[in-house]
Amino acid sequence: MSRWKALLPDLDPRVRHLVVCLRRLKDHSGLSMRQLAAKTGYSTSSWERYLGGRSLPPREAVEAIASVTGDDPTRLLALWEVAAAAWTGRRTSTTAAAGDGAEAVPETTSAGWEPPVRRRSPRGVLAAGVVAFLLVTASAVVLVVRLAEDDDGRVQRPPVSSAAPAGAGPASPAPSYACRIERIDGRWYAGLSRTRDAILLSGNAGAPVAEAQCLLRRAGFPPGEVDGIYGPRTERAVQRLQQKAGLVVDGIVGPHTWGALRG
């Protein structure tokens, strides 16, 4: 099993989940980085950037690794969509922060190259001040309108309706899960799911998560309430189990962690 370098601490959690999931797929496939590159059509250096969290893999690369490892691409592409939105948002905010009202000024380095260094121009500062003033003024006007008083000097507030929105049905009750622990053919089961290879991570929900929670409790690593939601307490319980079992401590339930839970 590969010993991966730790991801950067400031990497967005949504991107981190995708990268860790792709790492697990590569490890479980038994492919080397060179073999993965040959089978997917993406270079070894590209996969090193993708799996190192330094570059977001393109959608086609995610589909390719799902194909060569036999994994369901639907789940991976859903993770990719969320990670891509987070990645794009970070780059957009960084570019906007550097580009608004700034001008490039050369700075000579020891190597002789002069990269552009951004410095705020007076015009940009003035424009930012005008925008801030307009926003404050608009907020004050809205506040005055909302807090307009009636003839008795009392603050008018919109009536609060207790009726449900038109067309809305009764709220569906949250599913309840009961642990029915039993040992079958030398493996532990909780009666909620018989999976042994589903990949579960923070944000997932459903019967397989509840199954893992029941087995974590049985193994002495209580995840809190068995509610079928993969939250922080469940993730910490998985990490404690992985540490004890000598597995990669990433807080993600995959085939190896299922083996420790059912073994």
Side-chain angles (χ1 to χ4, degrees):
M1 182 180 299
S2 300
R3 290 297 177 183
W4 298 99
K5 291 183 179 180
L7 296 172
L8 294 175
D10 61 344
L11 189 65
D12 189 283
R14 292 161 291 186
V15 179
R16 180 184 297 273
H17 285 163
L18 174 65
V19 173
V20 171
C21 220
L22 295 178
R23 286 181 171 185
R24 296 291 298 242
L25 285 180
K26 182 211 171 280
D27 286 344
H28 297 156
S29 70
L31 297 173
S32 67
M33 198 72 80
R34 182 173 300 177
Q35 291 171 329
L36 180 64
K39 286 179 175 291
T40 59
Y42 290 84
S43 66
T44 302
S45 59
S46 294
W47 279 115
E48 288 174 349
R49 292 196 306 272
Y50 302 156
L51 300 179
R54 302 191 303 274
S55 178
L56 183 73
R59 181 187 182 93
E60 293 76 10
V62 175
E63 291 178 328
I65 191 173
S67 176
V68 300
T69 57
D71 194 69
D72 180 15
T74 304
R75 179 186 59 84
L76 277 180
L77 290 177
L79 290 177
W80 180 87
E81 292 285 352
V82 175
W87 190 276
T88 303
R90 184 188 68 172
R91 294 187 62 184
T92 301
S93 61
T94 301
T95 303
D100 182 22
E103 59 181 6
V105 178
E107 178 182 338
T108 304
T109 64
S110 58
W113 180 63
E114 297 183 350
V117 178
R118 295 193 174 272
R119 184 178 63 192
R120 289 283 180 179
S121 66
R123 183 178 300 176
V125 174
L126 178 61
V130 171
V131 171
F133 174 76
L134 292 176
L135 289 176
V136 172
T137 303
S139 300
V141 171
V142 172
L143 182 61
V144 169
V145 171
R146 289 186 176 179
L147 296 180
E149 295 184 346
D150 60 15
D151 295 337
D152 296 330
R154 294 172 296 178
V155 176
Q156 294 179 352
R157 299 191 184 276
V160 180
S161 173
S162 59
S172 56
S176 59
Y177 300 100
C179 300
R180 298 183 296 277
I181 302 294
E182 57 180 341
R183 195 164 177 82
I184 303 174
D185 296 332
R187 297 184 181 277
W188 292 104
Y189 294 90
L192 299 171
S193 173
R194 298 183 69 84
T195 182
R196 291 162 57 182
D197 57 7
I199 296 180
L200 307 176
L201 65 158
S202 180
N204 289 163
V209 176
E211 175 84 4
Q213 290 173 327
C214 289
L215 296 180
L216 284 167
R217 179 180 292 178
R218 186 213 67 79
F221 303 96
E225 182 181 359
V226 178
D227 54 6
I229 300 175
Y230 204 113
R233 294 189 64 179
T234 299
E235 184 175 22
R236 288 194 294 269
V238 169
Q239 290 171 341
R240 292 196 298 271
L241 170 75
Q242 291 171 332
Q243 185 175 17
K244 181 178 180 181
L247 302 174
V248 175
V249 181
D250 56 12
I252 296 177
V253 177
H256 294 291
T257 303
W258 279 116
L261 287 170
R262 297 205 185 277

